[in-house]
Amino acid sequence: MNVDEECNQLVEEIKRLGSSVNGKFGVNFGVLFDDDRCQNIFEALVGTLRAAKKKKLINYDGQLLLKGTHDNTHSKHNEQPTAQLISKYHTISKEIAKLETSSIDEKIKQTKIEGLKFELENLGGLHSYQRASLKGGNEQIGRGAVALWVSPYLKEHYNTHNNGQNFKLLDVGALSSTTYSKLKNYTVTAIDLNPQSHQVLRQDFMERPIPANNEDKFNVVCLSLVLNFVPSPVKRGI
């Protein structure tokens, strides 16, 4: 697992082992450290805790936690309102893209861009944005609002146009590999810039080659909060 995936998994383990107070989950360090599952998952639990704290995903007192000394130190999962986080992440990303194409003094430009990137990191970075996006639907089964809306149409589309074979569906920006898993007669390929599941391919849709033959083509391409996340009109193909 990369750092983002480990931080994501750490949040899940805190929820599994901890208790909830006012919607926020927390657990003592000693419980995390002694847990068999956590020992198998994390090669360096203390390092993962520090990384997750830096990304504003969790919070605890102090910096370095030591077994025995800090067993009762409480690690809490931080969570901003999802709509607020998503909106702010989009706004800052578009400000960065606008600056990158501006003609202002290069030194001033880079200073402003670095400041905005620091703001993104304070939000928790891409990882937190994706976690917030998952909350748009049911995180446990990975079905967002758009998937719930579009699934009946996909069933109707297959029934109307099928030739007796499965349709191929490309799910772009797939935070979960299960979004369209309940659709019969569809073979799904899921891709994302920063996958949150090992079943999602790490791939940039904007750099995906144009299909060279029918085998490379898809019957359906589904994407939500993808094109509007690309800050530049040129990069969106407009």
Side-chain angles (χ1 to χ4, degrees), residues 14-78:
I14 289 175
K15 289 181 178 180
R16 177 177 65 87
L17 294 169
S19 55
S20 174
V21 178
N22 296 325
K24 292 187 176 182
F25 285 86
V27 66
N28 286 347
F29 172 65
V31 175
L32 272 175
F33 192 94
D34 292 333
D35 182 69
D36 289 340
R37 176 178 165 85
C38 288
Q39 289 177 5
N40 290 329
I41 294 174
F42 305 109
E43 292 185 9
L45 176 61
V46 172
T48 304
L49 282 162
R50 294 183 69 180
K53 183 177 182 180
K54 185 177 180 180
K55 291 176 178 293
K56 307 293 185 182
L57 295 176
I58 66 171
N59 190 32
Y60 55 84
D61 294 332
Q63 292 298 322
L64 182 64
L65 299 181
L66 300 174
K67 173 60 180 168
T69 305
H70 299 111
D71 280 2
N72 293 324
T73 297
H74 207 57
S75 297
K76 295 176 289 186
H77 173 220
N78 294 331

Side-chain angles (χ1 to χ4, degrees), residues 55 80 85 88-89 92 119-125 128:
K55 291 176 178 293
Q80 292 191 46
L85 190 153
K88 193 167 185 179
Y89 198 96
I92 295 174
E119 285 189 49
L120 289 182
E121 285 303 310
N122 279 341
L123 287 176
S128 288

Side-chain angles (χ1 to χ4, degrees), residues 44-45 49 71 80 95-96 104-105 109 161 164 170-171 214 233:
L45 176 61
L49 282 162
D71 280 2
Q80 292 191 46
E95 287 180 18
I96 292 173
I104 65 174
D105 179 80
K109 179 195 294 188
H161 299 94
L170 179 63
D171 185 11
N214 287 334

Side-chain angles (χ1 to χ4, degrees), residues 3 19 37 44 46 50 53-54 79 83 93 110 112 125 128 136 143 147 149 154 172 175 186 207 217 228 236:
V3 175
S19 55
R37 176 178 165 85
V46 172
R50 294 183 69 180
K53 183 177 182 180
K54 185 177 180 180
E79 190 164 67
S93 296
Q110 291 306 316
K112 288 185 175 182
S128 288
R143 293 170 66 83
W149 170 79
L154 291 175
V172 183
L175 300 181
Y186 278 89
E207 296 181 3
K217 293 180 179 179
N228 63 315
R236 291 198 296 269

Side-chain angles (χ1 to χ4, degrees), residues 96 99-102 104-118:
I96 292 173
L99 277 170
E100 287 175 339
T101 58
S102 71
I104 65 174
D105 179 80
E106 190 64 28
K107 187 175 181 179
I108 295 175
K109 179 195 294 188
Q110 291 306 316
T111 300
K112 288 185 175 182
I113 288 175
E114 287 304 312
L116 290 169
K117 287 182 176 179
F118 182 74

